[in-house]
Amino acid sequence: MTKARKSLLAVLKEAVQPLSVADLVANPQIACNQATVYRSLRYLEQQGYVDSFVLHCTDHGTERYYCAVTEKSAHSHWFHCTVCHRFTDVGSCLLAEDLRRWESQYGFSITDHTFFLTGVCQTCKELTTSTG
Amino acid sequence: MTKARKSLLAVLKEAVQPLSVADLVANPQIACNQATVYRSLRYLEQQGYVDSFVLHCTDHGTERYYCAVTEKSAHSHWFHCTVCHRFTDVGSCLLAEDLRRWESQYGFSITDHTFFLTGVCQTCKELTTSTG
DNA sequence: CAGAATTTGCAAGTCATTCGCATTTTTTGC
DNA sequence: GCAAAAAATGCGAATGACTTGCAAATTCTG
Ligand SMILES: [Mn+2]
Ligand SMILES: [Mn+2]
Ligand SMILES: [Zn+2]
Ligand SMILES: [Zn+2]
């Protein structure tokens, strides 16, 4: 494990929410080129150290977000606030049995599923009503 | 409704699966510039005639896919085969009650959710086992 | 149908991500 | 440790989806 890869994994392990490449590059603990960030994240994901998903938000476009994989982080799903752009973990996947049902019903092999919520978080709702 | 917008909506209404801009531009029924396709799709979506989602697939990258909104098409979800890249409708959303629960549990206002499955479809599985 | 408002085509621009290649770092065999 | 081989890095250019400025064409309004 190289210095760049170690620092990326360390930052992702500390993070309380998924981080984009822009987030990582802006972090002073990450002292490597952006191309290295991309290459290292690909390596870390291939090795199973991190997980990622692609999210589109009108304000900041389409970006991939990364999370460290930990023993307990069993495939979480996220809510993304379209005002403050923070993520909230809404817990692990509730769809396991539906996935099996779809597999047998349609004959698929489901290797992955993408699920996330978007909307306005409580904090942003309160700010809007009190000052709007 | 202009000629470009009409033709796009007509093609999307006939389609049995979500179509990308590349799919639409390649369709001979669509005789307008790519910029017009993007602008028209944005218009159609704002007016509620079409729905879209962003999907990333290793083979062809990240693209937005569009579906016509019909009376009965109540917010379907899709399976995407990573071999043949076809979509299969897996039916309408099963998460309505979970969404309400998350909203009250976390104080969110959920305005949208993204959900899709990826894997290998039955046809591609059979082709793999018989010829591989 | 004229004039105003909107849409379109084209070419250039943006932004996340990738790639080629020379240089640096890490690993391997001794 | 140390030299050679292998892998990773930095940099700048390229890619691909999507957007935008602007002039020309189409559509709308009366
Ligand atoms: Mn956002
Ligand atoms: Mn695909
Ligand atoms: Zn918020
Ligand atoms: Zn298939």
Side-chain angles (χ1 to χ4, degrees):
Chain A
M1 189 91 97
T2 67
K3 197 192 287 195
R5 293 170 179 176
K6 265 186 221 143
S7 67
L8 285 163
L9 189 53
V11 167
L12 288 171
K13 278 182 173 165
E14 289 166 15
V16 300
Q17 59 176 347
L19 299 179
S20 66
V21 170
D23 294 332
L24 289 164
V25 165
N27 187 314
Q29 290 189 245
I30 306 295
C32 64
N33 188 270
Q34 173 175 283
T36 302
V37 172
Y38 280 104
R39 288 190 278 229
S40 300
L41 289 169
R42 187 187 309 146
Y43 168 88
L44 291 170
E45 186 155 21
Q46 277 167 356
Q47 302 299 311
Y49 296 118
V50 313
D51 240 349
S52 76
F53 59 91
V54 173
L55 176 134
H56 176 91
C57 174
T58 313
D59 280 5
H60 48 80
T62 306
E63 279 178 301
R64 187 174 284 274
Y65 289 82
Y66 297 84
C67 304
V69 170
T70 65
E71 312 84 56
K72 50 182 178 180
S73 81
H75 192 55
S76 268
H77 291 299
W78 300 90
F79 168 88
H80 179 74
C81 176
T82 54
V83 177
C84 66
H85 307 288
R86 280 187 291 228
F87 287 88
T88 306
D89 189 340
V90 295
S92 63
C93 190
L94 302 173
L95 291 161
E97 68 180 57
D98 293 313
L99 297 181
R100 296 312 130 217
R101 189 172 51 69
W102 281 313
E103 286 195 318
S104 64
Q105 181 175 348
Y106 296 99
F108 304 147
S109 288
I110 296 174
T111 53
D112 202 8
H113 65 277
T114 298
F115 175 65
F116 50 78
L117 309 171
T118 48
V120 184
C121 76
Q122 185 159 34
T123 308
C124 289
K125 270 165 64 182
E126 285 166 2
L127 288 173
T128 305
T129 47
S130 62
T131 61
Chain B
M1 189 93 97
T2 67
K3 199 192 285 195
R5 293 170 179 176
K6 266 187 222 144
S7 67
L8 285 163
L9 188 52
V11 168
L12 288 171
K13 278 183 173 164
E14 290 165 14
V16 300
Q17 60 176 345
L19 299 178
S20 67
V21 169
D23 294 331
L24 289 163
V25 165
N27 187 314
Q29 289 188 247
I30 307 295
C32 63
N33 189 270
Q34 174 175 283
T36 302
V37 172
Y38 280 104
R39 288 190 278 228
S40 301
L41 289 169
R42 187 187 311 146
Y43 167 88
L44 291 170
E45 187 155 19
Q46 277 168 356
Q47 302 299 310
Y49 295 117
V50 313
D51 240 348
S52 77
F53 59 91
V54 173
L55 176 135
H56 176 92
C57 175
T58 313
D59 280 5
H60 49 79
T62 306
E63 280 178 301
R64 187 174 283 274
Y65 289 82
Y66 297 85
C67 303
V69 170
T70 65
E71 312 85 56
K72 51 182 177 179
S73 82
H75 192 57
S76 267
H77 290 299
W78 299 91
F79 168 87
H80 180 73
C81 176
T82 54
V83 177
C84 65
H85 306 288
R86 279 185 292 227
F87 287 88
T88 305
D89 188 340
V90 295
S92 62
C93 190
L94 302 174
L95 291 160
E97 69 181 58
D98 293 313
L99 297 182
R100 296 312 129 215
R101 189 173 50 71
W102 281 312
E103 285 195 319
S104 65
Q105 180 175 348
Y106 295 98
F108 304 148
S109 288
I110 296 174
T111 53
D112 202 7
H113 65 277
T114 298
F115 175 65
F116 51 77
L117 309 171
T118 49
V120 184
C121 76
Q122 186 160 34
T123 308
C124 289
K125 270 165 64 181
E126 285 167 1
L127 288 172
T128 305
T129 47
S130 61
T131 60

